Amino acid sequence: MSRTLALVTGVFAMCWGSAASPKTEITVGAYYFPPVAEISHTNEPQGLLGDLIQGIEAANEDVEIRVFYTSPKRRYLDFEAGLYDVIFFESADWGWSDRDVTMSRPILTDEELYVALKKPDRDLSFFEDISRHHIVAMSGYHYGFADFETDSQVLLEKFNIEFSDSHSRNLQLIKADRPSVAEVAIISRSYLQMHLSEHPEDWRTLLISDKLDQRYQLRIIARKDGPVTADDMLHLMSPLVTNGAYRLMVEKWGLQLPRGFLTDFDLP
C-alpha cells in the first residue's frame, strides 16, 4: 500500500512540477531574407532561421518558439505593436539603433554585391557609379548606395529604381536584358552563391562586382519589456555554439560567422 501511495505521490509531484513550470513562449519575427530566412508553403520557417529555431527548441525543452511572419517594410511597425518579441539576424544600421531594444553581439556576417548582365563592352567599371543605371532592389531593404534609406518615395526621387519582393525576380530582370527597367541588382553573396550552385550556367551570364554595396554584422534584437533579452537568446543558442551545430548550420547556407565568434564566445 505504501509503495502504491509513494508512486501516486511521485506522479502527482511530477505533474504539479510540470504545471508549475510552463514553457517560456517566445515570438520571433521573420521575413523574406534568403538564405538567412524564408517561409515555406506550409508557413514553416526555412533557411538558417528555420534550422536555428529547431536547434534552440531541441536544446532548451522549457522554451517554445512561435514565428510571426512580417515583411521588410512592416517589421518595425509590427515590433512596436508587440506582435513579436525577438528578431534574429538584423544589423544595428537597419533602423534599430534608436529604438527601445536590446542587441546581442554579432552572430552572423554577410555582404551584398552588384550584379549586371555580361556584355562584350561591359567590365567592372560599370559598377563605379550605379546611380547612373536603372536599379532593381528589394522593397524595404537597407542599401549602402542609398545611405540605408528605405522610403520608396525618397528613393524614387533620387534613383532610377524598381522595387521587388524576390531576389529570383530581380536576377530574371537582369538576365532579360531590359535596361530601361533593370541594369543592376543588389544581391547578397550567400544568395548569389546559392543561385549559382543551382544555375551554374549563369556564371557566363552575370557580371558580378568586386565592389561591395555593404558588409553587415547581424545581431539578435529583442524588446526591452519582452519575455527575453537579446543576451537571453544568446544563452539559449550557446549549446549549439559549443557543440559546433550552429557553425554547421551557418556553413550549410553559405554564410559566415563573424571573426572571432567561436574563439571569443564569452556569454555576457
Side-chain angles (χ1 to χ4, degrees):
M1 177 71 177
S2 60
R3 184 178 178 182
T4 302
L5 181 60
L7 179 62
V8 171
T9 303
V11 171
F12 176 78
M14 289 172 63
C15 293
W16 183 87
S18 175
S21 303
K23 290 189 174 185
T24 299
E25 294 185 359
I26 304 167
T27 304
V28 172
Y31 60 88
Y32 179 80
F33 183 25
V36 175
E38 290 191 75
I39 302 163
S40 73
H41 296 302
T42 56
N43 283 335
E44 295 296 325
Q46 293 182 315
L48 175 58
L49 180 64
D51 290 348
L52 181 57
I53 287 174
Q54 289 183 14
I56 289 174
E57 288 187 323
N60 302 273
E61 295 182 354
D62 58 340
V63 170
E64 183 175 347
I65 295 177
R66 185 175 73 89
V67 178
F68 177 82
Y69 299 109
T70 183
S71 71
K73 293 188 73 170
R74 204 176 60 238
R75 67 191 189 270
Y76 307 104
L77 292 175
D78 289 342
F79 184 81
E80 298 293 344
L83 298 180
Y84 63 90
D85 309 305
V86 175
I87 189 164
F88 283 87
F89 309 122
E90 288 285 311
S91 169
D93 295 329
W94 295 349
W96 294 106
S97 57
D98 295 329
R99 298 177 188 272
D100 197 22
V101 299
T102 62
M103 295 187 191
S104 75
R105 60 177 291 185
I107 62 171
L108 191 71
T109 186
D110 201 4
E111 54 198 24
E112 289 183 335
L113 304 164
Y114 303 127
V115 180
L117 187 67
K118 275 186 180 177
K119 291 187 174 184
D121 59 344
R122 184 175 290 175
D123 58 22
L124 293 177
S125 64
F126 185 76
F127 300 113
E128 287 180 359
D129 182 6
I130 70 162
S131 65
R132 297 172 48 236
H133 307 301
H134 285 84
I135 303 164
V136 60
M138 296 289 293
S139 178
Y141 276 30
H142 296 76
Y143 293 108
F145 80 89
D147 294 327
F148 303 109
E149 176 63 65
T150 60
D151 187 301
S152 299
Q153 190 57 45
V154 172
L155 293 172
L156 286 168
E157 291 172 0
K158 290 184 175 181
F159 304 100
N160 293 315
I161 191 165
E162 170 90 3
F163 295 106
S164 166
D165 59 3
S166 165
H167 286 307
S168 176
R169 177 178 180 270
N170 292 354
L171 289 175
Q172 288 173 1
L173 285 172
I174 295 297
K175 291 162 61 177
D177 194 13
R178 298 176 60 194
S180 63
V181 176
E183 294 175 287
V184 176
I186 307 99
I187 308 289
S188 70
R189 185 180 294 278
S190 57
Y191 183 87
L192 196 57
Q193 289 174 340
M194 182 175 67
H195 173 85
L196 291 171
S197 69
E198 296 170 356
H199 305 279
E201 68 279 4
D202 281 352
W203 280 109
R204 299 187 301 271
T205 305
L206 299 175
L207 180 67
I208 302 167
S209 71
D210 58 356
K211 175 184 177 182
L212 299 181
D213 178 75
Q214 64 175 307
R215 182 173 178 82
Y216 35 73
Q217 302 282 321
L218 303 181
R219 306 167 184 265
I220 305 168
I221 309 286
R223 68 176 59 262
K224 284 189 175 177
D225 59 349
V228 291
T229 66
D231 286 339
D232 289 336
M233 296 303 298
L234 202 59
H235 277 271
L236 295 178
M237 278 181 61
S238 62
L240 308 176
V241 176
T242 55
N243 68 14
Y246 179 60
R247 177 179 63 83
L248 293 176
M249 292 176 191
V250 169
E251 291 176 352
K252 169 186 171 183
W253 295 103
L255 293 153
Q256 299 178 45
L257 294 173
R259 182 171 301 192
F261 179 80
L262 295 178
T263 55
D264 299 327
F265 188 74
D266 295 323
L267 289 172

